[in-house]
């Protein structure tokens, strides 16, 4: 499932952070301070080696103080002039080619992606969005890494820096200019992708009149028809029609069709509906009861599974319990109040220890409980399909365990709006696995287009960070080197967590120097190294030098993997605004931090060397 | 010319180093200069003598190894000085994908000029450098002289007080050269200060008030052009409407006083001689300030 890490509300994320993380703003502040101190020390060291300690100190002090006052003199018109130049330069360097490549990719995609797939929308969406991401990041990389170095090479920078333009404006203007170019590209690619997906998945069916069976109501009256559609795009739907001949089909390959009667034995089948969805889940808090009935934070581990999902055993008291807050009948606004239900979605990981009955799904039950009064509903059975989103609408009118009629929203929701959802597995020897995000209350779907646009924003955020890093580092080195650096930055950012784990000693095998020794001596990561002087030196080097540096570098890296919201769209979830705001804020942080860093790098560089 | 010092170098030295910090070239050795407001100052010297290096140091494009360069009384690395300064580089380092209009507009924006002022100034400058017909063409289509002209226009976009011209006449045709020199004199009349470097002596002689002659990074000669060229033991006589008799009389007078008539013609370019003298002298006895007569 898509949300593997809990998303904090924006302001909590920004200011105070979660349980074991700092708020984004304080972290930014600390990292900024750290980088500033490091830069100061390095800057002073260079100045001192060039001019001697005293004059070096003087030069450093002047650079910093002038820098701070110059940052305040930033003029929008000059920034905009540089931005316009960057845009013109991009045009001259034919960024439009990227669009050509993109449309070629779409053409080829049409050949090798098949619509005859369980979830064609997931396939198509993840393909086009991933393609757009790589293309846009590539363009961002090439534009930003080669722009300033090219100015140095053609010496056009001489005529620019001898104007009253501040170094910070040269950096910021470029970032803004390339960002505009990328925004344009991404907008075109986004619209293109959306149209492409919708058009590719578009198909229609006809109804097969010979398959029709008349359905009769309880009093023997005509209650409509049942039948199937024709087989198109590799699948057919079952359909049910009411007495007027209108109705809808079952869900196949992630979509349905609406059917409308347009005369005697004539029906119109709508285009596919619900391919691109934006589910809005409300997550609860998960705890477990184990097989002996004791409360636990986690269930049991079945070995190979990722630790964050844990399991309950079937036909025992073992239960997964989610507690939801703020529950009321407003979650299902459409039908009249008396018919409202609690729309739940459940995703089950099924772990089988024996085959069970072939062709029959495992059975589970859902119960609702009021956390205050402990009033509990009768178990409702459901079929568990591995890793499928099962939408279960629990009706308002329920029976309690003592078989009394109860009202879901009145009797099972506590006064402070809490409700508990209890899930059990019925089959002995089989297991259900759950993570916190596997059960949620389904709010009305968001707009798929808006959600799609938000995915594009997250691609945009990644591209802007790449541009900022590219422009900043290219003040210092030549184009190809800058490009390598940015690629390294992206890769490290993508594997940031593993990088941190090595730095903090969480992963086995020690730091970089120890790894070299292990590779040379063919000792795998679990083997204890011998207690020799060399090995001690090596691990000492890692411990006191390499790992602290790795840790410090990791602090400045963005977590590129978490930026990608492509999976939200592919899995059919709405991208939450909190996610978008957080990403854009991080992006802004990078633009500001890197512009300042870039200012000092460019300011202290001897331009005409 | 006022007494206000616009530009000053004190023991300015530059050593070019390679990546490892090893010394490659001592391009400038202890240069002391002062340029006052309203002057046209010429930096002269053979190829590789450090003229461009000096200008780059004054612009803050290079950082001095020793000594300091002050422009308008502030260190050359101060960006604020650029508000009042114009620079025409050795070659026109301009964005080749921009048109003349776009180029001037871009540099105008860098001076934070409002758009109406900018537009008017661009029209004036395009007209002044005679590029009206080519103003909508990209610079990559320009000839060398045209590029030079647009380079000059961008140097003047902010109506600067101090103009630094690195070989202003290179690449220009005789008419262009004449126009450039006229323009320098016109700017001088407007009270601007001009620092130019060149090895075209005739140009320097025509427009400069004072010159400095550099050789291998050392200052060899500094002074007013008219004084430097005045040769104390030579008197030049120029007159108009002299009859043949009168000329004969003059010759007689000169020979009566044991003088020797050098010529009665138009004077030749003696700066060239001075220049060659200094270079020869400097090569024979390196490290000394030459010809302090
Ligand atoms: N970037 C550089 N790296 C190393 N040496 C340089 C560099 N730029 C100039 N030099 C050296 O410094 C010396 C002075 O060069 P400079 O360009 O100032 O001469 P110049 O007087 O302008 O000559 P020209 O009349 O040919 O333009 C030369 O020996 C040159 O080789
Ligand atoms: Mg030169």
């Amino acid at each position: 499932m898509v949300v593997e890490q809990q998303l904090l509300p924006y302001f909590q994320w920004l200011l105070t952070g979660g349980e074991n993380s700092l708020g984004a703003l304080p972290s930014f502040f600390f990292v900024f301070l750290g980088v500033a101190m490091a830069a100061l020390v390095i800057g002073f060291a260079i100045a001192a080696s060039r001019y001697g300690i005293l004059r070096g100190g003087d030069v450093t002090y002047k650079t910093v103080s002038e820098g701070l006052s110059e940052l305040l003199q930033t003029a929008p018109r000059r920034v905009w002039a540089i931005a316009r130049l960057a845009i013109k330069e991009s045009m001259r360097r034919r960024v439009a080619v990227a669009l050509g490549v993109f449309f070629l990719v779409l053409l080829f995609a049409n050949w090798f992606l098949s619509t005859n797939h369980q979830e064609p929308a997931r396939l198509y969406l993840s393909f086009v969005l991933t393609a757009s991401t790589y293309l846009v990041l590539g363009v961002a990389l090439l534009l930003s890494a080669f722009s300033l170095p090219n100015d140095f090479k053609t010496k056009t920078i001489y005529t620019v820096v001898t104007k009253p333009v501040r170094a910070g404006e040269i950096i910021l203007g470029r970032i803004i200019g390339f960002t505009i170019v990328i925004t344009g590209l991404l907008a075109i690619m986004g619209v293109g992708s959306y149209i492409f997906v919708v058009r590719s998945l578009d198909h229609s069916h006809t109804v097969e009149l010979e398959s029709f069976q008349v359905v009769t109501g309880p009093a023997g009256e005509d209650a409509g028809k049942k039948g199937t559609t024709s087989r198109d795009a590799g699948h057919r739907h079952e359909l049910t029609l009411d007495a007027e001949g209108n109705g809808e089909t079952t869900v196949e390959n992630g979509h349905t069709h609406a059917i409308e009667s347009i005369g005697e034995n004539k029906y119109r089948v709508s285009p596919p509906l619900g391919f691109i969805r934006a589910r809005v889940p409300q997550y609860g808090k998960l705890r477990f009861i184990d097989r002996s009935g004791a409360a636990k934070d986690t269930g049991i581990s079945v070995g190979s599974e990722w630790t964050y999902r844990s399991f309950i055993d079937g036909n025992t008291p073992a239960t997964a319990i989610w507690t939801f807050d703020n529950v009321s009948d407003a979650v299902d606004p459409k039908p009249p109040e008396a018919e409202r239900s609690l729309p739940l979605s459940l995703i089950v990981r099924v772990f089988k220890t024996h085959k069970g009955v072939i062709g029959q799904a495992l059975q589970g039950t859902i119960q609702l409980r009021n956390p205050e009064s402990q009033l509990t509903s009768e178990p409702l059975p459901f079929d568990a399909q591995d890793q499928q989103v099962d939408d279960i609408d629990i009706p308002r009118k329920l029976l309690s365990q003592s078989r009394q009629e109860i009202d879901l929203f009145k009797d099972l929701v506590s006064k402070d709006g809490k409700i508990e959802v209890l899930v059990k597995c019925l089959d002995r020897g089989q297991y259900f696995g759950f993570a916190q995000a596997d059960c949620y209350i389904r709010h009305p779907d968001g707009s798929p287009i808006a959600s799609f646009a938000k995915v594009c924003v997250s691609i945009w955020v990644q591209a802007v960070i790449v541009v900022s890093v590219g422009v900043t580092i290219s003040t210092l080195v030549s184009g190809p080197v800058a490009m390598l650096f940015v690629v390294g930055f992206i890769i490290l950012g993508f594997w940031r967590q593993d990088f941190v784990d090595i730095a903090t000693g969480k992963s086995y095998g020690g730091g970089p120097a120890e790894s070299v020794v292990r590779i040379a001596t063919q000792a795998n990561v679990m083997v204890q190294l011998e207690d020799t002087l060399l090995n001690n030196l090596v691990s000492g080097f890692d411990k006191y030098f390499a790992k602290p540096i790795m840790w410090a570098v990791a602090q400045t890296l963005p977590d590129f993997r978490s930026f990608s919201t492509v999976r939200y769209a592919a899995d059919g979830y709405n991208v939450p605004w909190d996610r978008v705001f957080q990403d854009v804020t991080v992006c802004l942080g990078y633009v500001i931090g890197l512009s300042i860093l870039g200012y000092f790098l460019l300011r202290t560089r001897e331009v005409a060397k | 010319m006022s007494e206000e010092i616009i530009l000053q170098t004190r023991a300015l030295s530059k050593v070019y180093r390679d990546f490892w910090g090893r010394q490659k070239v001592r391009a400038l050795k202890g240069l002391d200069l002062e340029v006052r407001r309203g002057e046209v100052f010429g930096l002269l010297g053979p190829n590789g003598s450090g003229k461009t290096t000096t200008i780059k140091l004054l612009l803050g494009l290079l950082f001095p190894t020793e000594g300091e360069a002050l422009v308008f009384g502030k260190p050359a690395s101060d960006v604020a000085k650029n508000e009042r300064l114009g620079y025409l580089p050795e070659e026109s380092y301009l964005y080749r994908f921009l048109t003349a209009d776009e180029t001037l507009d871009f540099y105008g924006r860098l001076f934070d000029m409002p758009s109406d002022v900018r537009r008017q100034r661009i029209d004036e400058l395009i007209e002044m450098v005679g590029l009206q017909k080519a103003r909508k063409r990209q610079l990559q289509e320009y000839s060398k002289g045209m590029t030079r002209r647009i380079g000059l226009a961008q140097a003047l976009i902010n109506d600067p007080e101090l103009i630094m011209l690195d070989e202003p006449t290179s690449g220009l045709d005789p008419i262009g050269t004449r126009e450039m020199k006229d323009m320098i004199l016109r700017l001088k009349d407007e009270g601007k200060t001009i620092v130019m470097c060149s090895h075209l002596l005739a140009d320097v002689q025509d427009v400069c008030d004072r010159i400095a002659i550099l050789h291998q990074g050392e200052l060899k000669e500094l002074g007013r052009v008219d004084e430097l060229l005045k040769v104390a033991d030579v008197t030049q006589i120029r007159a108009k409407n002299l009859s043949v008799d009168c000329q004969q009389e003059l010759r007689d007078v000169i020979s009566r006083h044991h003088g020797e008539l050098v010529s009665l013609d138009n004077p030749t370019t003696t700066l060239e001689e001075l220049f060659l003298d200094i270079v020869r002298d400097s090569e024979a006895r390196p490290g000394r300030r030459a010809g302090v007569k």
Side-chain angles (χ1 to χ4, degrees):
Chain A
M1 228 297 296
V2 60
V3 181
E4 262 133 30
Q5 234 160 354
Q6 213 192 333
L7 196 62
L8 296 173
Y10 179 72
F11 284 105
Q12 190 190 347
W13 169 83
L14 186 69
L15 301 172
T16 56
E19 271 161 46
N20 32 24
S21 64
L22 216 54
L25 208 58
S27 323
F28 178 77
F29 180 75
F30 284 129
V31 172
F32 189 87
L33 213 65
V35 172
M37 295 310 287
L40 208 60
V41 169
I42 295 172
F44 173 70
I46 294 175
S49 75
R50 202 177 281 170
Y51 305 110
I53 303 256
L54 270 186
R55 197 159 153 230
D58 193 41
V59 168
T60 314
Y61 169 76
K62 270 208 190 111
T63 309
V64 174
S65 59
E66 271 173 28
L68 294 182
S69 74
E70 273 191 17
L71 285 175
L72 298 179
Q73 294 163 13
T74 302
R77 192 180 275 128
R78 291 195 292 255
V79 174
W80 180 230
I82 302 279
R84 280 169 45 120
L85 182 77
I87 296 173
K88 281 182 190 152
E89 187 195 316
S90 313
M91 296 303 154
R92 188 190 63 92
R93 284 165 66 188
R94 311 249 183 281
V95 281
V97 170
L99 285 181
V101 172
F102 178 70
F103 287 110
L104 268 183
V105 167
L106 289 192
L107 274 183
F108 281 106
N110 242 342
W111 284 343
F112 60 73
L113 292 186
S114 98
T115 51
N116 183 15
H117 182 268
Q118 267 243 313
E119 285 172 272
R122 174 200 292 261
L123 189 70
Y124 270 74
L125 281 170
S126 56
F127 177 79
V128 290
L129 287 172
T130 309
S132 311
T133 308
Y134 286 130
L135 264 173
V136 169
L137 288 191
V139 171
L141 178 66
L142 291 179
L143 285 182
S144 62
F146 287 93
S147 174
L148 263 176
N150 199 43
D151 268 24
F152 275 99
K153 208 163 76 192
T154 57
K155 301 187 177 173
T156 42
I157 192 85
Y158 293 8
T159 6
V160 175
V161 295
T162 48
K163 303 288 181 280
V165 59
R166 300 333 193 240
E169 294 163 342
I170 295 179
I171 306 285
L172 188 61
R174 273 193 166 68
I175 295 179
I176 291 176
F178 293 139
T179 297
I180 291 172
V181 172
I182 275 162
T183 311
L185 274 185
L186 200 57
I188 298 173
M189 288 188 189
V191 172
S193 298
Y194 195 83
I195 294 175
F196 171 76
V197 171
V198 171
R199 294 287 303 264
S200 304
L201 299 180
D202 191 26
H203 63 271
S204 191
H205 303 270
T206 54
V207 295
E208 299 202 322
L209 293 172
E210 55 271 33
S211 72
F212 275 16
Q213 286 168 353
V214 177
V215 181
T216 45
E221 80 277 16
D222 182 3
K225 296 188 184 77
K226 270 187 174 218
T228 57
T229 65
S230 60
R231 190 175 180 83
D232 290 290
H235 64 275
R236 68 169 81 234
H237 302 258
E238 313 260 299
L239 56 88
T240 37
L241 302 177
D242 60 15
E244 274 87 62
N246 301 325
E248 62 173 12
T249 69
T250 51
V251 179
E252 276 326 309
N253 290 6
H255 69 279
T256 62
H257 300 266
I259 296 170
E260 194 191 340
S261 163
I262 48 165
E264 188 70 15
N265 279 343
K266 281 201 183 112
Y267 299 93
R268 182 188 295 134
V269 182
S270 75
L273 302 173
F275 252 135
I276 305 179
R277 290 191 62 185
R279 296 190 190 86
V280 182
Q282 175 192 340
Y283 294 105
K285 227 169 157 40
L286 173 63
R287 65 199 161 89
F288 290 91
I289 290 177
D290 73 3
R291 58 187 307 154
S292 63
K296 284 268 171 69
D297 279 347
T298 58
I300 56 173
S301 163
V302 293
S304 70
E305 280 303 317
W306 195 13
T307 49
Y308 113 105
R309 178 170 281 120
S310 57
F311 286 73
I312 53 173
D313 12 19
N315 199 20
T316 68
T319 316
I321 305 174
W322 282 269
T323 312
F324 293 96
D325 291 329
N326 302 322
V327 179
S328 73
D329 62 358
V331 297
D332 188 15
K334 269 197 223 95
E337 259 176 56
E339 286 169 31
R340 288 185 180 175
S341 55
L342 182 67
L344 277 184
S345 288
L346 188 67
I347 303 153
V348 185
R349 261 337 280 277
V350 174
F351 181 78
K352 290 187 173 181
T353 56
H354 57 84
K355 272 195 300 229
V357 183
I358 302 283
Q360 195 178 312
L362 294 190
Q363 291 274 306
T365 60
I366 297 184
Q367 285 171 287
L368 301 181
R369 185 166 74 185
N370 183 327
E372 254 169 16
S373 66
Q374 300 292 321
L375 180 66
T376 312
S377 71
E378 271 250 296
L380 299 166
F382 69 92
D383 286 349
Q385 258 142 3
D386 192 32
Q387 279 183 295
Q388 297 275 316
V389 183
D390 197 358
D391 290 347
I392 304 166
D393 292 352
I394 300 184
R396 177 165 204 150
K397 299 251 176 320
L398 290 170
L399 290 179
S400 74
Q401 278 179 310
S402 50
R403 305 203 61 83
Q404 270 158 340
E405 269 204 13
I406 48 173
D407 182 281
L408 194 161
F409 294 105
K410 284 208 189 83
D411 301 321
L412 292 177
V413 176
S414 70
K415 275 191 222 73
D416 50 355
K418 284 188 166 54
I419 194 168
E420 288 178 336
V421 176
L422 288 68
V423 179
K424 283 183 179 155
C425 173
L426 291 183
D427 292 271
R428 171 183 298 276
Q430 313 286 38
Y431 295 81
F432 281 179
F434 293 113
Q436 185 142 299
D438 285 346
C439 179
Y440 54 85
I441 298 178
R442 204 168 4 99
H443 285 253
D445 274 12
S447 146
I449 295 193
S451 186
F452 189 87
K454 286 188 261 183
V455 176
C456 292
V457 171
S458 75
I459 300 175
W460 180 86
V461 162
Q462 299 172 57
V464 174
I465 293 179
V466 168
V467 163
S468 316
V469 176
V471 170
T472 303
I473 193 65
S474 68
T475 55
L476 214 55
V477 293
S478 69
V481 179
M483 197 178 91
L484 281 182
F485 184 93
V486 182
V487 170
F489 184 85
I490 296 173
I491 292 175
L492 279 188
F494 203 78
W495 302 103
R496 179 177 194 265
Q497 197 51 50
D498 306 71
F499 196 63
V500 173
D501 285 349
I502 294 173
T504 52
K506 255 195 216 150
S507 55
Y508 296 107
E514 194 178 318
S515 297
V516 172
V517 172
R518 282 178 188 278
I519 291 170
T521 59
Q522 301 195 338
N524 72 41
V525 292
M526 301 306 292
V527 173
Q528 186 82 37
L529 287 185
E530 274 172 58
D531 192 15
T532 63
L533 179 64
L534 175 73
N535 285 344
N536 284 334
L537 273 180
V538 160
S539 53
F541 170 84
D542 275 349
K543 189 168 172 201
Y544 297 108
F545 186 73
K547 284 183 177 181
I549 287 184
M550 284 175 72
W551 181 85
V553 168
Q555 299 310 305
T556 64
L557 291 174
D559 190 344
F560 263 100
R561 194 179 306 208
S562 80
F563 283 132
S564 175
T565 52
V566 171
R567 286 194 58 192
Y568 279 90
D571 291 353
Y573 287 90
N574 186 43
V575 181
W577 280 112
D578 280 328
R579 160 101 272 148
V580 177
F581 289 143
Q582 288 180 17
D583 291 353
V584 172
T585 309
V586 169
C587 174
L588 205 66
Y590 273 98
V591 171
I592 293 173
L594 287 167
S595 300
I596 295 176
L597 181 64
Y599 165 85
F600 283 106
L601 291 180
L602 187 55
R603 188 78 175 84
T604 50
R605 173 166 178 178
E606 218 172 1
V607 170
K609 199 149 184 182
Chain B
M1 200 202 311
S2 78
E3 288 306 290
E4 188 190 343
I5 295 172
I6 293 285
L7 208 149
Q8 194 176 26
T9 69
R10 296 199 196 116
L12 190 64
S13 302
K14 180 68 196 175
V15 177
Y16 284 107
R17 292 176 193 281
D18 66 4
F19 180 80
W20 306 108
R22 287 177 306 197
Q23 183 166 333
K24 269 203 304 198
V25 188
R26 277 186 77 91
L28 203 59
K29 301 165 197 166
L31 179 68
D32 288 298
L33 277 184
E34 275 178 8
V35 176
R36 285 165 216 282
R37 182 179 288 283
E39 268 193 294
V40 179
F41 189 89
L43 273 172
L44 269 165
N47 290 134
S49 55
K51 306 183 294 288
T52 302
T53 302
T54 309
I55 292 218
K56 283 179 180 169
L57 284 164
L58 287 168
L59 286 165
L61 289 174
L62 288 174
F63 302 151
T65 309
E66 264 160 49
E68 57 182 346
L70 300 176
V71 180
F72 300 119
K74 294 208 200 90
S77 59
D78 186 357
V79 186
K81 71 168 193 312
N82 294 347
E83 296 276 2
R84 299 148 70 188
L85 184 145
Y87 166 50
L88 173 67
E90 238 174 328
E91 284 160 41
S92 299
Y93 303 129
L94 301 169
Y95 292 99
R96 295 165 54 78
F97 53 89
L98 297 181
T99 65
D101 270 350
E102 286 170 338
T103 303
L104 295 184
D105 187 64
F106 170 65
Y107 291 111
R109 280 168 195 268
L110 293 189
F111 283 98
D112 209 358
M113 286 161 77
S115 75
D116 47 339
V117 179
R118 215 160 58 219
R119 208 162 309 134
Q120 194 193 338
R121 186 80 189 140
I122 292 171
D123 287 341
E124 279 171 27
L125 285 170
I126 292 270
E127 160 125 29
M128 189 188 88
V129 297
L131 286 173
Q132 295 96 320
K133 288 214 182 77
R135 59 190 294 176
K136 298 269 184 272
R137 283 167 62 191
Q138 288 191 340
L139 300 197
Q140 57 203 5
E141 301 169 6
Y142 274 26
S143 71
K144 186 166 182 201
M146 288 161 86
T147 317
R148 209 74 198 133
R149 287 160 194 256
I150 187 70
L152 179 69
Q154 70 71 34
L156 300 177
I157 184 90
N158 58 327
D159 194 13
E161 291 168 41
L162 169 63
I163 303 156
M164 303 217 201
L165 306 171
D166 198 340
E167 306 196 9
T169 54
S170 85
L172 293 180
D173 58 23
I175 302 168
T177 307
R178 180 79 256 161
E179 282 171 357
M180 175 65 84
K181 286 194 272 190
D182 287 347
M183 212 201 37
I184 292 172
L185 292 175
R186 200 162 63 235
L187 290 169
K188 179 192 164 167
D189 287 342
E190 288 172 22
K192 318 277 188 210
T193 314
I194 293 158
V195 176
M196 57 179 277
C197 68
S198 182
H199 36 231
L200 296 178
L201 304 170
D203 298 351
V204 175
Q205 191 178 6
D206 285 350
V207 296
C208 289
D209 301 314
R210 288 199 308 145
I211 54 169
I213 297 181
L214 289 175
H215 185 239
Q216 289 173 352
E218 284 174 76
L219 182 65
K220 296 297 179 187
E221 188 60 273
L222 176 69
R224 293 193 57 81
V225 175
D226 40 14
E227 278 163 23
L228 286 176
L229 298 186
K230 189 150 68 189
V231 185
D233 53 0
V234 176
T235 313
Q236 271 190 354
I237 297 170
R238 290 180 76 193
K240 239 175 142 177
N241 299 336
L242 291 189
S243 64
V244 180
D245 285 350
C246 179
Q247 284 190 21
Q248 189 53 50
E249 215 166 303
L250 274 172
R251 285 177 211 275
D252 289 345
V253 171
I254 290 169
S255 67
R256 204 176 321 131
H257 290 273
H258 308 291
E260 179 193 341
L261 184 69
V262 181
S263 87
L264 268 174
D265 307 337
N266 302 332
T268 52
T269 320
T270 51
L271 182 59
E272 189 171 337
E273 268 157 43
L274 174 76
F275 181 79
L276 291 175
D277 265 355
I278 287 173
V279 171
R280 250 180 253 125
D281 186 58
S282 162
E283 262 157 12
R285 287 171 295 168
R288 278 193 35 201
R289 176 94 175 245
V292 193
K293 290 162 192 161

